[in-house]
Amino acid sequence: MSEKDKNTSLNNSRRNFMKVGALAAAGFFIVPRHVLGKGYVAPSDRLIVAGIGVGGMGGNDINGVFNSGKADIGFLCDVDDRRAQKSREKFAKAKYYKDWRELFEKEGKNFDAVTVSTPDHNHAVVAMAAMQMGKHVYVQKPLTHDIYEARVLTDAAKKYKVVTQMGNQGASGDGVRQLREWYDSKAIGDVHTVYCWTNRPVWPQGIPWPGTKAEVPQGLDWDLWLGTAPYTDYVEKLVPFNWRGWWEYGTGALGDMGCHIVEPAFTVLDLTYAKDVQASVGSVYVDEFQRGYFPESCPPSSHVTLTFPKTKKTKGDVTVYWMDGGIQPSRPEELGPEEVFGDGGNGVLFIGTKGKMMAGTYGENPQLLPTSRTSEFKVKDKHKITRVPGSAGGHYNQWVEACIAGYGNKEVSSPFEIAGPLTEALLMANLAIRGIDIRTPRADGKGFNYPGRDLKLLWDNDNMRVTNFDEVNKYVKREYRPGWTLGV
């Protein structure tokens, strides 16, 4: 069977396997909760979880779920045996697979929930397949690689009535709740502007594709790692981390850190979908007056301006500025000359009509400005918000408990109905960044025109498209490699 036929067969089977009869038992010592049917009480009332991508951050995810004390890791899956080794040693009773489609096909009745910790470009296909099986899902940030995928997953969570959570743990933190309490208490008036910044990328960006074919390391299934992305030869220094800087697989600094740093603005101000975006990026010069052109790679730095429509918590539109690559906004006058801005490398600054407030990554260490106000300002009881036990560290436990309680019975901090619009806004910002590298040959044959530069992109949210620069719409929904589908 060819690889294409194999992929097609597996994708068809994962959509239909629940219809073809009973599956083999996993041999695990706890019965999955869903086997007992509606209204069941499972033995030990524990969740059986399958981890897809279990090295690096994936290892953190399954450990976080397990450490809730209410979940067991029943299955492990990773395309790279080397990266999976630690998790396989720790969860020795868990059955191991390399292909998540095979795991889902063979073990679908033997687990309740799935963690998805693959590279960005494969998040959506795994999460969608799990939800179609009725499995609860925890998906690493950013939720998806493409805007279309984020919209589809958000809708699917409602359709299949499963508990969802994105891996931006700051959404469960005390910090963002403190910021919200201050804002709801009118401590800084009406917010009209928010600055968000990060020192990422901390991996190479703004560079040419390596281009030199290398030998695939033993234990890595390169074709499975590529998944939905176009086939290319294996190259060094892409796996396991630097893929973040390449558009085929990652979403750059915005995708990596935006879900952590922009999230407080969404929570505090009830932001949803942006209506326009513009961007500028750092340049790389390869010779005198010769700007490098590396469209496959995310830029070394960027500055993005997003406009969000008025919400029930603002008096007008809100402008959100994003800066990465070490670029930061000017220090506010209310901040002392030696006080830390944000957390030093990352931060968020809210500017209101009556004051300002800031925080670091994950919304941690929130401060009113000047910082002396932080201890002085008292929040009335009516504005106080219940904390998540364990703060940001309780993000996993919150999801586990919600899965055990069942869809709609327990709140989570970053369900897809919130995480989806947040992800879409960040990916829309990436449209403006990628549009800068779109070029057309000049009529005289001397060089190129770059029609996407110096533009404000206007967004039609209902139809998920930019209305004034059609060339970037190809990035809203990419074409998967043959044999891969969302199964919508």
Side-chain angles (χ1 to χ4, degrees), residues 48-123:
I48 306 300
V49 177
I52 312 301
V54 295
M57 195 63 211
N60 289 345
D61 287 342
I62 58 173
N63 282 324
V65 167
F66 178 75
N67 289 340
S68 70
K70 300 175 182 179
D72 289 294
I73 308 303
F75 302 92
L76 302 173
C77 182
D78 204 295
V79 301
D80 193 337
D81 295 341
R82 304 166 304 167
R83 299 285 287 174
Q85 187 59 35
K86 288 184 179 180
S87 293
R88 293 181 71 181
E89 291 173 355
K90 179 170 183 177
F91 301 103
K93 292 183 179 181
K95 192 171 182 179
Y96 179 68
Y97 286 84
K98 293 195 76 151
D99 191 331
W100 62 269
R101 299 167 299 179
E102 183 182 4
L103 188 161
F104 283 9
E105 180 180 358
K106 292 182 177 180
E107 312 287 359
K109 287 189 175 181
N110 300 316
F111 58 90
D112 307 303
V114 175
T115 61
V116 182
S117 311
T118 68
D120 300 352
H121 68 293
N122 287 324
H123 282 185

Side-chain angles (χ1 to χ4, degrees), residues 202-213:
V202 292
W203 54 84
Q205 289 191 182
I207 59 174
W209 179 254
T212 303
K213 180 180 178 180

Side-chain angles (χ1 to χ4, degrees), residues 237-257:
K237 296 185 178 180
L238 181 69
V239 176
F241 187 68
N242 290 347
W243 54 265
R244 290 192 175 280
W246 300 101
W247 289 122
E248 290 287 6
Y249 320 111
T251 48
L254 259 165
D256 182 54
M257 293 302 289

Side-chain angles (χ1 to χ4, degrees), residues 168-349:
N168 56 330
Q169 58 268 37
S172 291
D174 293 350
V176 71
R177 285 159 178 76
Q178 178 67 80
L179 292 168
R180 184 176 159 191
E181 287 177 347
W182 285 335
Y183 187 65
D184 290 349
S185 300
K186 309 300 181 184
I188 63 170
D190 178 63
V191 165
H192 49 80
T193 304
V194 181
Y195 288 93
C196 303
W197 66 96
T198 182
N199 56 10
R200 303 292 176 102
V202 292
W203 54 84
Q205 289 191 182
I207 59 174
W209 179 254
T212 303
K213 180 180 178 180
E215 184 177 349
V216 178
Q218 186 174 3
L220 170 65
D221 190 319
W222 175 238
D223 188 76
L224 279 178
W225 187 94
L226 286 172
T228 62
Y231 184 83
T232 188
D233 290 329
Y234 177 82
V235 295
E236 297 284 0
K237 296 185 178 180
L238 181 69
V239 176
F241 187 68
N242 290 347
W243 54 265
R244 290 192 175 280
W246 300 101
W247 289 122
E248 290 287 6
Y249 320 111
T251 48
L254 259 165
D256 182 54
M257 293 302 289
C259 291
H260 293 312
I261 296 172
V262 181
E263 185 274 334
F266 267 66
T267 297
V268 171
L269 305 176
D270 282 352
L271 302 180
T272 52
Y273 298 99
K275 66 180 184 179
D276 60 57
V277 61
Q278 54 189 306
S280 59
V281 302
S283 302
V284 176
Y285 278 79
V286 296
D287 206 342
E288 296 176 3
F289 297 98
Q290 185 178 343
R291 181 173 174 174
Y293 182 66
F294 311 121
E296 301 94 347
S297 177
C298 307
S301 59
S302 68
H303 179 196
V304 180
T305 306
L306 292 148
T307 306
F308 290 87
K310 177 184 180 299
T311 75
K312 63 182 180 181
K313 297 183 72 174
T314 69
K315 293 183 179 179
D317 289 352
V318 177
T319 303
V320 175
Y321 296 97
W322 168 266
M323 303 174 185
D324 60 45
I327 300 172
Q328 295 187 3
S330 298
R331 294 171 62 89
E333 295 179 358
E334 298 89 342
L335 189 66
E338 296 181 0
E339 291 185 295
V340 177
F341 189 21
D343 60 23
N346 310 279
V348 56
L349 172 68

Side-chain angles (χ1 to χ4, degrees), residues 27-68:
F28 207 79
F29 67 96
I30 294 177
V31 178
R33 304 184 80 251
H34 70 273
V35 169
L36 303 178
K38 188 175 181 180
Y40 54 75
V41 177
S44 303
D45 204 28
R46 295 172 71 83
L47 200 70
I48 306 300
V49 177
I52 312 301
V54 295
M57 195 63 211
N60 289 345
D61 287 342
I62 58 173
N63 282 324
V65 167
F66 178 75
N67 289 340
S68 70

